[in-house]
Amino acid sequence: MTHAVVLIEAERDALTTLGGELAGLDGVAEAYSVTGEWDFVAIVRVPRHDQLADVITGKLVKLPGVSRTQTMVAFEVFSEHDLEAMFSIGQ
């Protein structure tokens, strides 16, 4: 499983709708509305590294209202939850 954190700056008109659109994208596990320089944070989880481009540059950045992004790909994941087990059901 490959994980990425995407920081998203939104146009003012998109602030009320973009969170739901982000969360609805395949590969986006979670989307948060946040304070500070960025408006949203999206957590992307995909089985293979090459799928990040499909989700982030192929879909996420093309959503209306997304004006700027910064992506951080995780080297390692540290969690109390067994994420691999949660996302491997039925595979």
Side-chain angles (χ1 to χ4, degrees), residues 5-69:
V5 177
V6 184
L7 306 176
I8 302 156
E9 181 180 72
E11 295 171 4
R12 175 175 261 176
D13 293 344
L15 291 174
T16 58
T17 59
L18 190 55
E21 292 176 25
L22 290 166
L25 290 178
D26 287 338
V28 174
E30 303 162 45
Y32 299 93
S33 173
V34 297
T35 62
E37 180 181 348
W38 301 95
D39 300 306
F40 295 93
V41 174
I43 307 300
V44 177
R45 293 190 183 106
V46 292
R48 295 185 331 272
H49 181 79
D50 61 323
Q51 292 173 308
L52 287 175
D54 294 335
V55 176
I56 298 168
T57 59
K59 297 175 187 161
L60 190 149
V61 300
K62 293 180 180 177
L63 288 175
V66 172
S67 58
R68 180 172 70 116
T69 64

